Amino acid sequence: MAQQERAIRTRQAILEAAGKVFDESGYEAATIAHILACAKVTRGALYFHFSSKEDLARGVLDEAVTTEGVSPQPFKLQELVDTSLLLAYRVQREPLLRASIRLSVDQRARAMFGTRWPDWITVTAALVQDAKDQGETLPHVVPEEVARLMVGAWTGVQLISEAMPEPPELADEISLLYQLMMPNIAVPGVLARLDMAPDRPLRLMSSAEDADVANGDAAT
Amino acid sequence: MAQQERAIRTRQAILEAAGKVFDESGYEAATIAHILACAKVTRGALYFHFSSKEDLARGVLDEAVTTEGVSPQPFKLQELVDTSLLLAYRVQREPLLRASIRLSVDQRARAMFGTRWPDWITVTAALVQDAKDQGETLPHVVPEEVARLMVGAWTGVQLISEAMPEPPELADEISLLYQLMMPNIAVPGVLARLDMAPDRPLRLMSSAEDADVANGDAAT
């Protein structure tokens, strides 16, 4: 069991190193040697988990669609906001997530590995559909359409923010994006109760930590 | 004068060839030889206009911010919609415009040449500010913020549309994007009068052609 846990940690360390290198250098320029140096693992350990640079890129992309830290909410639109804001917060702090975006944006890497945008659209459309079924949305809302636009808008706002000479905090921008779009998605009674503030991710994470402490997870 | 006109046409043919090659191959893989073959001009003609591949990329990016085909409208928000929809229509048909996006999205090219997103944000913010001054916008609208979000959203919607197995008509997607955002930007009386239909670009172009014919431009 301890051995299995060690293997999982090594795999994760390699993925994070690959994310860092892909994020900094792009797919083409990234080398296994550089990833090895970053991960501080042996060549044998790396090849035990990943057979090639291609395989590493696929592993990085598999980490891209995450709703980690999002807990069920009475309003499904709140879960959608939470997912987007948490991702905005994390992407500026986690090279592995940033690398998955970079691999999607890069036309060559995209041709080889595809992107995770369709998965994000599926996740988003399911949340908007649930919201619609619960009566949270205005009558004209088409979940699949809103999902495509949301994922596109999120991606583009991230891209142009990152390219600015002094990149803003992405959660601030995504908060503004939701404040712009949500009044035409949510019914007023739900809209008035949604928390779209830029510090929402911080509060979500600290309440998740509190829950961990209460569950005794912090002691393990 | 005829010589000057010929020089302008040659320069444009080179830029369009460069756009095509950058769009297809990306900046790194693009070669002057390939651009020459595409442009069907001599090496001397190319180097008369552009000193290097870098210089060609700068020339391509200089063509990116265009409001060609947009004519003054009573509502400034209509001009904003027209600018976005026309660009959506053209970008799927003009490799030169697509190349300027690709150069902005590519992290290496971006580090060398910057992007035209700040210029687009400036153009957009000026239109929203004019709209605000004319009383077209809701009271909470901050032109600079809306401009950043609009340019980001447009860019991302273009990016994920292009990556789809069967890319939709971009003007359809941008029309949906405006239908989603505009109700939280325009006052209702203006909103009801805005033309955000996906075939707006076609109608704008055909009315521009009619005007050319009426002015006798078609005969020159």
Side-chain angles (χ1 to χ4, degrees):
Chain A
M1 204 51 174
Q3 199 177 353
Q4 199 187 338
E5 199 177 291
R6 200 158 57 231
I8 290 171
R9 282 192 193 171
T10 303
R11 188 176 186 280
Q12 193 59 27
I14 296 166
L15 271 182
E16 280 174 15
K20 196 156 180 289
V21 173
F22 288 144
D23 178 45
E24 283 166 7
S25 314
Y27 179 73
E28 290 290 318
T31 62
I32 295 262
H34 194 178
I35 293 169
L36 275 174
C38 251
K40 299 193 180 89
V41 300
T42 63
R43 186 169 284 267
L46 188 143
Y47 280 105
F48 175 77
H49 290 283
F50 300 98
S51 63
S52 61
K53 191 167 87 165
E54 289 79 7
D55 204 22
L56 278 162
R58 284 194 195 91
V60 165
L61 280 164
D62 283 342
E63 302 285 307
V65 183
T66 168
T67 54
E68 196 185 310
V70 179
S71 48
Q73 301 289 327
F75 294 134
K76 289 293 157 183
L77 291 180
Q78 184 67 58
E79 283 182 40
L80 175 60
V81 171
D82 289 354
T83 305
S84 289
L85 283 175
L86 265 170
L87 192 69
Y89 183 86
R90 290 180 57 198
V91 88
Q92 285 192 313
R93 287 156 183 87
E94 300 179 22
L96 182 51
L97 281 176
R98 218 155 46 230
S100 74
I101 295 181
R102 179 153 187 189
L103 288 172
S104 298
V105 163
D106 181 301
Q107 257 169 309
R108 286 185 163 219
R110 191 199 298 167
M112 296 173 77
F113 312 116
T115 78
R116 292 303 150 127
W117 292 323
D119 305 300
W120 271 118
I121 292 171
T122 303
V123 166
T124 306
L127 282 171
V128 180
Q129 184 63 56
D130 288 349
K132 193 179 172 81
D133 293 343
Q134 289 192 184
E136 294 174 35
T137 62
L138 293 164
H140 62 269
V141 166
V142 179
E144 176 67 26
E145 262 175 34
V146 167
R148 281 205 314 274
L149 297 174
M150 282 283 186
V151 171
W154 192 101
T155 302
V157 168
Q158 191 273 332
L159 199 60
I160 74 157
S161 296
E162 175 193 77
M164 285 179 187
E166 294 181 22
E169 176 66 44
L170 186 58
D172 291 354
E173 297 293 292
I174 298 299
S175 168
L176 290 174
L177 180 69
Y178 271 92
Q179 286 168 34
L180 179 61
M181 289 180 156
M182 211 40 109
N184 198 21
I185 296 172
V187 295
V190 171
L191 183 64
R193 285 168 179 81
L194 289 181
D195 181 355
M196 302 186 275
D199 66 345
R200 172 87 182 159
L202 283 174
R203 280 179 283 121
L204 283 173
M205 286 187 299
S206 80
S207 70
E209 277 167 25
D210 291 349
D212 284 351
V213 172
N215 293 334
D217 289 6
T220 62
Chain B
M1 203 52 176
Q3 199 177 354
Q4 200 187 335
E5 200 177 290
R6 201 157 56 231
I8 291 171
R9 283 192 193 171
T10 304
R11 189 177 186 278
Q12 193 60 27
I14 296 167
L15 272 182
E16 279 174 17
K20 197 155 177 292
V21 173
F22 289 144
D23 177 44
E24 282 166 9
S25 315
Y27 179 73
E28 291 289 319
T31 63
I32 296 262
H34 193 179
I35 294 169
L36 276 175
C38 252
K40 300 194 179 87
V41 299
T42 63
R43 186 168 285 267
L46 189 143
Y47 281 105
F48 174 76
H49 291 283
F50 300 97
S51 64
S52 61
K53 189 166 89 167
E54 288 79 7
D55 204 21
L56 279 162
R58 283 194 196 91
V60 166
L61 280 164
D62 283 343
E63 301 286 307
V65 182
T66 167
T67 54
E68 196 185 310
V70 178
S71 48
Q73 302 290 327
F75 294 134
K76 289 294 158 183
L77 291 180
Q78 185 66 58
E79 282 183 40
L80 175 60
V81 171
D82 290 354
T83 307
S84 290
L85 282 175
L86 266 170
L87 192 70
Y89 183 85
R90 291 180 57 197
V91 88
Q92 286 192 312
R93 287 157 183 86
E94 300 179 23
L96 182 51
L97 281 175
R98 220 156 43 232
S100 73
I101 295 181
R102 178 151 187 191
L103 289 172
S104 298
V105 164
D106 181 301
Q107 256 168 313
R108 284 185 164 218
R110 190 200 298 167
M112 295 172 79
F113 311 116
T115 78
R116 291 302 150 126
W117 293 323
D119 304 299
W120 271 118
I121 292 172
T122 303
V123 167
T124 306
L127 282 170
V128 179
Q129 184 63 55
D130 288 349
K132 192 179 172 82
D133 294 343
Q134 290 191 183
E136 295 175 34
T137 61
L138 294 164
H140 63 270
V141 166
V142 179
E144 175 67 27
E145 263 175 33
V146 168
R148 281 206 313 275
L149 298 175
M150 282 284 187
V151 172
W154 192 103
T155 303
V157 168
Q158 191 273 332
L159 199 60
I160 73 156
S161 297
E162 176 192 75
M164 285 179 189
E166 294 181 23
E169 176 65 44
L170 186 58
D172 291 353
E173 296 293 293
I174 299 299
S175 169
L176 290 174
L177 181 69
Y178 271 92
Q179 286 169 31
L180 179 60
M181 289 180 158
M182 212 39 110
N184 197 22
I185 296 172
V187 296
V190 172
L191 184 64
R193 285 168 179 80
L194 289 181
D195 181 356
M196 304 186 274
D199 66 345
R200 172 86 181 161
L202 283 174
R203 280 180 283 123
L204 284 173
M205 286 187 299
S206 81
S207 70
E209 277 167 24
D210 291 349
D212 283 352
V213 172
N215 293 334
D217 288 6
T220 62

